[in-house]
Amino acid sequence: MPDPAVVVAQRVAAAVAQLYPDVTEDLDTAARPSERADAQVNVAMGLARLVGKKPHDVAEGIAVALDLRGICSEVTVAGPGFLNLTYDNDYLGALLHDAARDPNLGVHRAATTETVVIDYSAPNVAKEMHVGHLRSTVIGDALVRMCEAVGHRVIRENHIGDWGTPFGMLIEHLIDLGEVDAARELSVGDLDGFYKQARAKFEALPEFQQRARERVVLLQGGDADTLRLWKLLVAESARYFATVYEKLGVKLTDADLRGESVYNDLLVSVVTRLRDAKLLVTDNGAEVVFPAGFTNRDNAPLPLIIRKQDGGYNYATTDLACVIDRVEHLRATLMLYVVGTPQAQHLSMIEAVARDAGWLPESTRMAHVAFGSVLGSDRKMLKSRTGDSVKLVELLDEAVQRAEASIAEKNPELPVADRQRVARMIGIGAVKYADLSSDRIKDYVFDWERMLSFDGNTAPYLQYAHARICSIFRRAGSTREATRQTTPVLSHPSEHALALWLLQYDSAVWDALERYSPHRLCTYLYELSTRYTSFYEKCPVLKAESEVMRDSRLALCDLTARILADGLQMLGIDAPEQM
Ligand code: ARG
């Protein structure tokens, strides 16, 4: 769909070329949103310097030469030489009509289809999922949805921690408990209890420690019985993770599990290939690579350890194998790692080594989608009352309960069955939105009151705006589809402001996607709801002054509701029709 700002920029460039044919420099002709007008063009400032005139005079000249008939109703020169533009209402109305008839609501498809591998969630087997995993899961899932929405080919990968030394101790603990009891304990989701008991024995009992060490050797050697027990641990954990994903309503399924163990067979070839590439160095008995530009605190080169002194492989080795797999087998053109900020250096080193080794073609991009921590009201890492980390399931259950209580109070008429369904949408939506709406790089404070509030930049506020529109249509007695035949007629300034914002959806989605920053889409949706609210306060819809205005306003309502629902869907959040 033509973005009005793009059309304006082209016309400005044409006017400048006509007035100043000798200027060959690249000029900034962009039309940007401004407080004072629908859009502002600053080209006169730079141009004036080049041609030795006053910016104001240059701007006046452009305003005269500029052909914006049918696009802008007003062009004025303001300040030292800004061009302030007001879009023509008929023009905006026609664009809205186009957007309403487009199943993608004006969001354009990617010009080239990428194969995007998104590495997200990645909890560890036999360990509880904590609130920290929430961030990776929720941010990753939003990126999956946004990439899919613009037509990319997306491969979800859940790189669970299912391999390595702790499994010796976990398997021995499982044997001690007996398979049946162990499975029972794991299936109730008490992964932390299981892990802690194993750890405690490992630390206290030398005999257990010895058994655990031997068990790791058996596991790595492919001993059949050991593998069977290991699989039991992985299966029970995966089953538990699946219940959490189900509650969260994210797209991850068992088919997306690609744990560390999957890359086990590739580890030998990582070593060989690094050696052949002459990158491998022996350092203190370990085999390592020193990628350029990485140093430790004493400014000494920092190694990426590929094979430890004891012959064991590392987390890094697995990640290198994983890069090879994603590039050579999956043909990824973009790889996103939705992983906490503390792993930034690890991932940069992986990328550097993979590039040096020639495994990452220049055309394949690798990006660390980093995120900060979830904090409690004391601004320290969120902890439960007992001082433990907060279990993700418990948090999700509490969210739904709180949402249910709040709906019972706000809308007692809603039938109980609907109430529970809607409570899930609101409670889970609130948790997800609180996470997605703050800049992911920053830490955020987990605050029940705030996230469940029906006011402010929250999921319930957006969901409520959507539900209110649905209720207008129930009362209007006309169908949503019928309104899509109508070209909106804009007259009131709040209609104009709403229209302008509805037409920014395309840019908002792309802007959020290109920066891997879902919060930018949240900000857009929040502003959309506030513009809608002020339109609704000032412009009667069902009681509009004429049939034409009623239809037109219903069309604005419909498009607003669709963009709200579609945008929330991209964030993985449902928009109920009643709440
Ligand atoms: N399981 C890891 C952790 O809990 C995260 C894995 C992230 N993905 C990766 N390819 N390294 O820290």
Side-chain angles (χ1 to χ4, degrees):
M1 202 185 63
D3 180 341
V6 174
V7 177
V8 166
Q10 285 161 355
R11 299 288 174 98
V12 171
V16 171
Q18 184 204 325
L19 292 169
Y20 302 97
D22 300 335
V23 173
T24 51
E25 279 83 353
D26 264 342
L27 294 167
D28 174 19
T29 57
R32 298 196 175 79
S34 128
E35 298 273 298
R36 303 230 150 68
D38 290 350
Q40 192 170 72
V41 178
N42 298 343
V43 70
M45 316 308 256
L47 187 53
R49 233 173 295 125
L50 290 174
V51 298
K53 288 190 184 174
K54 280 199 201 127
H56 200 274
D57 297 343
V58 173
E60 292 280 4
I62 297 173
V64 172
L66 195 52
D67 178 13
L68 288 173
R69 270 170 303 171
I71 295 174
C72 288
S73 57
E74 199 180 322
V75 179
T76 56
V77 176
F82 303 126
L83 287 165
N84 279 351
L85 312 176
T86 307
Y87 293 114
D88 182 84
N89 277 330
D90 291 340
Y91 177 61
L92 295 184
L95 291 180
L96 289 171
H97 192 205
D98 290 343
R101 280 179 303 178
D102 174 4
N104 303 312
L105 305 167
V107 177
H108 73 276
R109 315 287 77 193
T112 45
T113 307
E114 303 239 27
T115 297
V116 192
V117 173
I118 308 189
D119 181 320
Y120 71 112
S121 195
N124 298 313
V125 161
K127 276 200 181 170
E128 192 58 58
M129 281 183 86
H130 294 296
V131 60
H133 296 107
L134 174 74
R135 301 221 68 189
S136 175
T137 309
V138 164
I139 297 168
D141 205 59
L143 295 175
V144 165
R145 289 162 191 266
M146 285 190 228
C147 286
E148 283 175 348
V150 301
H152 291 316
R153 187 173 156 251
V154 180
I155 302 171
R156 300 180 293 265
E157 292 216 326
N158 193 356
H159 193 85
I160 57 170
D162 63 354
W163 201 246
T165 38
F167 283 90
M169 117 195 150
L170 292 166
I171 293 171
E172 283 304 318
H173 182 49
L174 183 138
I175 293 171
D176 289 356
L177 287 179
E179 285 174 40
V180 178
D181 286 342
R184 190 180 310 127
E185 178 152 356
L186 291 168
S187 67
V188 296
D190 191 13
L191 301 187
D192 266 357
F194 187 89
Y195 192 92
K196 280 184 187 150
Q197 287 160 18
R199 180 97 246 158
K201 279 204 275 184
F202 187 84
E203 270 152 27
L205 310 172
E207 172 268 338
F208 183 81
Q209 212 175 87
Q210 183 57 30
R211 276 201 276 145
R213 295 229 161 84
E214 285 164 10
R215 190 55 72 178
V216 176
V217 178
L218 285 173
L219 179 66
Q220 278 164 352
D223 171 65
D225 203 44
T226 304
L227 278 176
R228 189 181 60 80
L229 297 170
W230 167 78
K231 278 193 187 130
L232 207 133
L233 279 176
V234 176
E236 285 301 339
S237 304
R239 188 157 40 212
Y240 175 68
F241 299 152
T243 62
V244 179
Y245 297 144
E246 160 98 38
K247 267 189 215 279
L248 259 179
V250 293
K251 292 196 153 201
L252 286 172
T253 68
D254 283 352
D256 305 316
L257 289 170
R258 293 280 290 169
E260 294 176 17
S261 65
V262 170
Y263 305 94
N264 202 31
D265 294 342
L266 277 166
L267 300 180
V268 181
S269 83
V270 169
V271 176
T272 336
R273 288 171 71 161
L274 287 173
R275 187 174 295 125
D276 291 349
K278 309 244 178 310
L279 292 171
L280 211 58
V281 182
T282 309
D283 184 48
N284 285 323
E287 300 198 83
V288 308
V289 179
F290 288 102
F294 292 89
T295 48
N296 64 17
R297 277 194 212 109
D298 308 324
N299 244 348
L302 194 65
L304 188 68
I305 300 172
I306 305 299
R307 200 161 186 196
K308 293 181 280 192
Q309 226 170 354
D310 66 7
Y313 299 100
N314 245 349
Y315 182 55
T317 327
T318 302
D319 263 326
L320 285 171
C322 198
V323 170
I324 295 177
D325 183 64
R326 287 170 185 178
V327 175
E328 295 179 5
H329 301 129
L330 303 177
R331 303 263 154 225
T333 55
L334 174 62
M335 300 189 284
L336 302 183
Y337 289 77
V338 190
V339 181
T341 309
Q343 293 192 38
Q345 188 181 58
H346 164 76
L347 289 168
S348 313
M349 290 178 88
I350 295 292
E351 176 170 6
V353 171
R355 291 227 185 258
D356 289 347
W359 301 336
L360 254 183
E362 221 167 288
S363 56
T364 299
R365 287 165 298 141
M366 177 169 158
H368 179 199
V369 181
F371 53 82
S373 313
V374 184
L375 308 179
S377 51
D378 55 0
R379 303 209 122 255
K380 297 205 183 98
M381 293 289 263
L382 187 68
K383 289 267 170 337
S384 70
R385 257 173 241 118
T386 53
D388 290 327
S389 11
V390 179
K391 262 176 117 167
L392 185 51
V393 243
E394 286 172 6
L395 187 122
L396 298 178
D397 290 342
E398 181 168 353
V400 176
Q401 278 160 19
R402 283 177 182 256
E404 198 172 340
S406 130
I407 313 171
E409 188 192 302
K410 287 202 166 66
N411 186 2
E413 272 104 80
L414 199 67
V416 176
D418 287 334
R419 188 194 290 167
Q420 279 161 359
R421 189 177 50 84
V422 172
R424 274 198 299 279
M425 295 183 185
I426 297 181
I428 301 296
V431 171
K432 284 181 162 182
Y433 193 86
D435 197 290
L436 293 169
S437 59
S438 57
D439 189 345
R440 62 175 163 77
I441 294 296
K442 297 187 188 147
D443 298 341
Y444 75 93
V445 174
F446 194 90
D447 179 346
W448 284 120
E449 300 288 320
R450 208 185 139 246
M451 71 176 72
L452 282 161
S453 163
F454 279 60
D455 279 315
N457 189 11
T458 66
Y461 177 69
L462 300 183
Q463 289 169 320
Y464 188 62
H466 172 266
R468 232 171 25 177
I469 300 176
C470 295
S471 100
I472 295 173
F473 277 94
R474 280 194 298 274
R475 280 179 284 136
S478 56
T479 69
R480 300 269 303 263
E481 286 71 26
T483 66
R484 294 170 203 163
Q485 308 304 320
T486 308
T487 302
V489 186
L490 311 170
S491 56
H492 194 277
S494 70
E495 289 175 309
H496 183 89
L498 174 62
L500 207 56
W501 203 253
L502 287 166
L503 294 170
Q504 298 297 307
Y505 185 45
D506 180 29
S507 330
V509 168
W510 275 95
D511 172 59
L513 181 53
E514 275 163 358
R515 295 162 193 257
Y516 314 128
S517 292
H519 81 277
R520 300 177 75 96
L521 179 56
C522 297
T523 308
Y524 167 84
L525 294 173
Y526 176 52
E527 173 72 20
L528 177 60
S529 312
T530 54
R531 288 192 189 209
Y532 175 79
T533 304
S534 83
F535 151 78
Y536 189 69
E537 278 163 8
K538 294 181 185 109
C539 302
V541 176
L542 297 180
K543 296 204 172 82
E545 53 271 35
S546 66
E547 190 75 13
V548 171
M549 286 320 289
R550 184 179 188 269
D551 287 348
S552 163
R553 286 178 183 160
L554 281 172
L556 287 177
C557 290
D558 172 63
L559 188 57
T560 303
R562 283 165 78 200
I563 291 181
L564 280 173
D566 193 69
L568 284 170
Q569 202 50 53
M570 282 196 208
L571 300 168
I573 298 171
D574 290 317
E577 299 206 342
Q578 275 188 72
M579 60 191 268

